[in-house]
Amino acid sequence: MTNVAVVGSQWGDEGKGKIVDWLSERADVVVRFQGGHNAGHTLVVDGKVYKLSLLPSGVVRGKLSIIGNGVVIDPWALMSEIETVREQGVKITPETLRIAENATLILPLHGALDRAREAAQGAEKIGTTGRGIGPAYEDKVARRAIRICDLADPDTLPERIENLLTHHNALLRGHGADEIDGAETLDALRGISAELLSYAAPVWRSLDEAYRSSKRILFEGAQGFMLDVDHGTYPFVTSSNTLAGQAAAGSGIAVGGIGYVLGITKAYTTRVGSGPFPSEQDNDIGNLLGERGHEFGTVTGRKRRCGWFDAVLVRQSAKIGGINGIALTKLDVLDGIGDLSVCVGYRYEGTNYDYLPAGRNIQAGIEPIYEVLDGWDQSTQGARSWAELPAAAVKYVRRIEELIGVPVALLSTSPERDDTILVRDPFAA
């Protein structure tokens, strides 16, 4: 048995929720290792719909769930999410949920700055959720952040908050926004610190014990490869590393403990927010994909941009991210569309590329090179074996495997968790 890291191989929204839930039933421990409450997973378990943003998917199944130090945590959003899930009948206690004591907190001042910056950018805005994730990560690397463990030392909190506001209020003034009151921030933190600290723990020890006991650990990523702060479509990216390598640094487990990397990959492509999108279809095809795939963000409800499958991006994601196999999702959305285009290369000012260059101008101006594949009229929805798939659908999947250089480990044919064709169990890889 091996541990499994689940990551998105595109721009996020690939359907990680269902796959993570499918895997979490087989896992002993489930870990979130990066991001914040700007990304969400939707789970459907026994007919109940759970929408999670910070909580690892394992909480729904009673598994030990860990929020690692690589996650930035809005404590009020977290407590609200815990309460919502409890009302749905899920038991959450410090025995089932542990939060890294060295995780960075998102405070109201972070959201205020995030929104002020986006408003000032106008048409050049990044497309953030405005929830303070970016500013919180900035404070972390600038070594002025407030971490969960700091709440256990209330005598130093006023000084820490004052230090933060010296920086943030100057920026807010510059954007013409209201300044943040330090006393209100301090009171708010004091009001929530006891409950938050009840979950705080040195989670690296829990993970080390689980690893040495041969427990199956599932590392649950958020967003996707092309939103990675280093390797994505910068600056239209998130503020953390979204690759499987971050699972080690963002949770405290030894790098050798990660194991199999499963890249969740949609059978077409979507992205939310601003930034380049080579295979985007701003036309009837894009609208059809969006309608069939119910392409709206779990957290924000924003409509997603839709386009053809981009094999160049996924191949790059697989190589850099060390993806061993993919879970191909939403194949059924392509039923009956007709001919299907797949992006197999790019062209920019007369030069062809078999990868996405890092330059912002090139990314904005490249044109996709397409290969056209036969579509299928029969339904793939609910298929649970290769024999139930139309021949053309099987050819489409096989061609994707060839183009990205990675095999399909799981194939999802509907939002229902059991409508999954298992080719290779990642935990047994």
Side-chain angles (χ1 to χ4, degrees), residues 5-232:
V6 173
V7 294
S9 68
Q10 295 156 309
W11 274 289
D13 308 312
E14 299 97 347
K16 288 187 289 295
K18 168 188 168 174
I19 302 300
V20 167
D21 175 56
W22 192 89
L23 290 168
S24 68
E25 190 176 33
R26 294 156 175 76
D28 300 302
V29 184
V30 183
V31 187
R32 273 287 310 275
F33 60 85
Q34 51 81 214
H37 64 310
N38 54 339
H41 292 168
T42 300
L43 312 180
V44 181
V45 181
D46 297 330
K48 279 189 177 181
V49 178
Y50 302 90
K51 293 190 176 184
L52 308 179
S53 293
L54 279 168
L55 292 173
S57 299
V59 297
V60 176
R61 298 195 173 276
K63 303 300 176 75
L64 174 59
S65 298
I66 290 175
I67 300 177
N69 56 276
V71 179
V72 287
I73 299 169
D74 181 321
W76 300 277
L78 176 60
M79 293 307 157
S80 176
E81 188 174 328
I82 288 174
E83 186 58 33
T84 297
V85 174
R86 277 178 176 159
E87 290 174 355
Q88 292 183 279
V90 177
K91 184 179 180 181
I92 298 179
T93 69
E95 285 68 47
T96 60
L97 174 65
R98 298 175 191 171
I99 305 173
E101 60 186 358
N102 54 335
T104 293
L105 295 179
I106 301 174
L107 305 179
L109 57 90
H110 294 122
L113 179 58
D114 205 356
R115 293 185 292 273
R117 283 177 173 171
E118 282 286 272
Q121 289 291 323
E124 295 297 315
K125 65 182 180 180
I126 301 299
T128 75
T129 60
R131 300 187 174 208
I133 281 81
Y137 274 116
E138 290 175 32
D139 282 345
K140 178 179 178 177
V141 298
R143 295 165 294 184
R144 58 174 171 259
I146 293 177
R147 304 188 298 172
I148 290 179
C149 54
D150 296 328
L151 300 181
D153 188 7
D155 292 339
T156 66
L157 267 184
E159 180 182 350
R160 294 179 187 277
I161 291 173
E162 183 180 352
N163 181 45
L164 265 184
L165 291 180
T166 299
H167 174 78
H168 283 273
N169 276 338
L171 293 174
L172 288 168
R173 283 195 301 272
H175 287 296
D178 294 336
E179 295 185 30
I180 300 296
D181 184 272
E184 290 181 4
T185 301
L186 180 60
D187 287 344
L189 274 177
R190 284 173 172 166
I192 204 169
S193 61
E195 186 174 8
L196 188 61
L197 283 169
S198 70
Y199 296 99
V203 301
W204 62 270
R205 296 187 65 179
S206 301
L207 290 171
D208 182 63
E209 291 168 4
Y211 181 51
R212 293 179 182 278
S213 301
S214 298
K215 302 279 187 169
R216 286 176 289 192
I217 305 171
L218 178 64
F219 298 94
E220 179 182 357
Q223 296 132 331
F225 168 80
M226 294 311 299
L227 293 175
D228 184 272
V229 68
D230 286 304
H231 300 285

Side-chain angles (χ1 to χ4, degrees), residues 281-291 304-307:
Q281 298 297 298
D282 189 13
N283 52 30
D284 290 344
I285 285 292
N287 291 334
L288 180 61
L289 291 172
E291 290 168 6
R304 296 171 186 148
R305 300 155 63 189
C306 299

